[in-house]
Amino acid sequence: DAGVIQSPRHEVTEMGQEVTLRCKPISGHNSLFWYRQTMMRGLELLIYFNNNVPIDDSGMPEDRFSAKMPNASFSTLKIQPSEPRDSAVYFCASSLDRGSSPLHFGNGTRLTVT
Amino acid sequence: SQKIEQNSEALNIQEGKTATLTCNYTNYSPAYLQWYRQDPGRGPVFLLLIRENEKEKRKERLKVTFDTTLKQSLFHITASQPADSATYLCALDSNYQLIWGAGTKLIIKP
């Protein structure tokens, strides 16, 4: 099992540009989570999906952020337009279900917006 | 307000000793608590889960305790090794979501 795969590993972009982060969860996992990690705020849940359906997007900071999960093996997180304060490491994680199943994280995308 | 706290300063431990990390919380009643390890440039990796009705859980050199009265979990690494150096995160359940501590950086010195 390759684990959760995220791309790109690093993204540097200018303010105002669109950014798309990609995630392939572990096959058979029903829940997918997008997190953001910064030194100041730690790990913050942005959105999570269960069976490809968005369940809770209350952590999405504003309308500039959107996430999709068109099928069980792919999800995207899009920021449009990007701002310097969006600079962070973005993690995707998947788990077997919504309950107490452990989360399996990808290695993240380090986003820098200049 | 709801809060989850871990030792904010790095913990320096001599190799071979037991490292103990603390996770305290207020205004939550979690059904379970999880511990993760995070290495630089990598995502967190699950280590152990302990439920509210369990006092203690062990896995090899790792031991976790959960005291719902004190609202505290302790994470122990016995016979610590330099390879155990990492940041350790606790996460507790709140309405089917995980609420994360900021993590404690553990440094094991040879």
Side-chain angles (χ1 to χ4, degrees):
Chain A
D1 191 343
V4 175
I5 299 173
Q6 291 188 248
S7 64
R9 283 284 276 145
H10 302 275
E11 177 81 42
V12 180
T13 191
E14 291 184 348
M15 183 173 66
Q17 296 298 306
E18 177 180 295
V19 174
T20 299
L21 312 181
R22 296 173 177 79
C23 174
K24 178 178 166 52
I26 292 173
S27 177
H29 281 192
N30 295 324
S31 294
L32 182 139
F33 306 79
W34 282 100
Y35 281 92
R36 176 170 69 178
Q37 187 176 43
T38 60
M39 288 292 291
M40 288 295 293
R41 301 172 69 92
L43 265 174
E44 301 176 280
L45 178 65
L46 300 176
I47 185 170
Y48 85 91
F49 295 83
N50 195 55
N51 293 321
N52 312 339
V53 176
I55 302 299
D56 184 353
D57 65 354
S58 59
M60 297 285 260
E62 46 198 277
D63 292 346
R64 297 185 297 108
F65 286 67
S66 63
K68 293 182 180 179
M69 192 165 185
N71 57 62
S73 58
F74 185 66
S75 177
T76 59
L77 177 68
K78 187 175 291 187
I79 308 173
Q80 164 65 15
S82 57
E83 297 182 2
R85 61 190 167 125
D86 301 331
S87 297
V89 180
Y90 290 81
F91 287 105
C92 174
S94 69
S95 70
L96 275 174
D97 56 44
R98 291 175 56 182
S100 60
S101 297
L103 268 58
H104 297 257
F105 283 80
N107 283 327
T109 295
R110 180 172 292 278
L111 174 65
T112 303
V113 183
T114 59
Chain B
S1 63
Q2 295 176 316
K3 210 186 304 183
I4 177 169
E5 291 183 339
Q6 296 186 250
N7 314 69
S8 56
E9 295 182 8
L11 189 62
N12 287 275
I13 300 291
Q14 195 67 38
E15 181 178 7
K17 302 291 185 184
T18 296
T20 298
L21 285 67
T22 304
C23 178
N24 295 303
Y25 59 93
T26 57
N27 296 325
Y28 287 109
S29 296
Y32 58 86
L33 191 146
Q34 299 183 9
W35 283 88
Y36 290 75
R37 167 184 173 140
Q38 186 173 22
D39 291 283
R42 310 294 291 269
V45 175
F46 172 78
L47 296 174
L48 281 168
L49 178 149
I50 187 165
R51 299 186 186 278
E52 60 179 335
N53 60 348
E54 297 174 316
K55 294 289 187 191
E56 182 180 295
K57 204 77 165 285
R58 290 176 186 261
K59 179 182 175 183
E60 298 172 352
R61 294 184 296 111
L62 309 181
K63 184 179 85 171
V64 172
T65 62
F66 193 8
D67 189 324
T68 54
T69 301
L70 289 179
K71 294 188 181 294
Q72 180 182 76
S73 176
L74 298 178
F75 178 82
H76 306 272
I77 305 175
T78 58
S80 58
Q81 304 165 2
D84 295 326
S85 299
T87 296
Y88 290 84
L89 300 155
C90 69
L92 55 82
D93 150 71
S94 176
N95 296 324
Y96 298 105
Q97 292 188 23
L98 284 180
I99 308 299
W100 295 82
T104 297
K105 185 173 183 178
L106 176 65
I107 301 167
I108 307 297
K109 297 187 172 181

